[in-house]
Amino acid sequence: MAVSYMTEDGYKKLLDEISYLETIKRPEISRQIAEARDKGDLSENAEYDAAKEAQGMLEMKISQLKELVAKARLIDESKLTNESVQILSKVKIKNVKNKMEMTYTIVSDSEANLKEGKIAVSTPIAKGLLGKKVGEIAEIKVPSGLMSFEIIDISF
């Protein structure tokens, strides 16, 4: 896994999630396993099997999050400018063809959330916008063909 750039806020959310999984979820699953074990014969105990599977999934999730934290690089937000599109830029773009306007914030992969208008820096649209300045046209290859977006505004 490559280096993952993220904001201080995104990094803190990851640490909070790891803490929650380790201090709340892990003991809950251990209790479920103990309760299922107390019910006797483990060879035909569906509760025990389900709890052991949940434990395996939880440990895998904790491991993945810890790996993400280990490879995280915090972005120095004080060094960002709005001269051109870069990670953490809030970009207002206009589809040249249908004149529809959209606003996206370009974030790290781990912080992407389309409902909040946050797109991952690794997406085709974000890659096509990076480095562009207000007034420039970004030609972006998407699955349906080539799209053109005019950069209307760049902010934070």
Side-chain angles (χ1 to χ4, degrees), residues 133-152:
K133 296 177 173 30
V134 172
E136 288 187 337
I137 305 286
E139 298 278 331
I140 301 170
K141 187 169 176 27
V142 293
S144 59
L146 201 62
M147 295 183 79
S148 299
F149 295 102
E150 180 182 352
I151 313 294
I152 305 295

Side-chain angles (χ1 to χ4, degrees), residues 48-130:
Y48 179 79
D49 292 341
K52 287 299 281 182
E53 188 174 329
Q55 182 183 44
M57 299 295 278
L58 176 73
E59 294 305 325
M60 189 171 76
K61 174 93 173 154
I62 291 170
S63 173
Q64 288 171 338
L65 292 175
K66 285 185 170 183
E67 187 175 335
L68 201 55
V69 164
K71 302 203 180 204
R73 297 294 177 268
L74 295 186
I75 298 161
D76 184 349
E77 296 179 53
S78 69
K79 290 188 166 55
L80 300 174
T81 72
N82 57 1
E83 287 178 27
S84 66
V85 179
Q86 52 194 307
I87 193 162
L88 297 187
S89 290
K90 186 174 190 172
V91 189
K92 185 175 184 180
I93 56 176
K94 180 168 67 177
N95 184 319
V96 173
K97 199 177 282 180
N98 66 14
K99 307 292 184 225
M100 200 170 107
E101 290 188 2
M102 297 150 276
T103 302
Y104 294 118
T105 302
I106 298 174
V107 296
S108 68
D109 291 347
S110 62
E111 297 175 75
N113 182 336
L114 204 51
K115 285 187 192 131
E116 295 176 8
K118 296 177 178 180
I119 61 172
V121 70
S122 63
T123 61
I125 289 181
K127 285 180 179 177
L129 296 175
L130 290 174

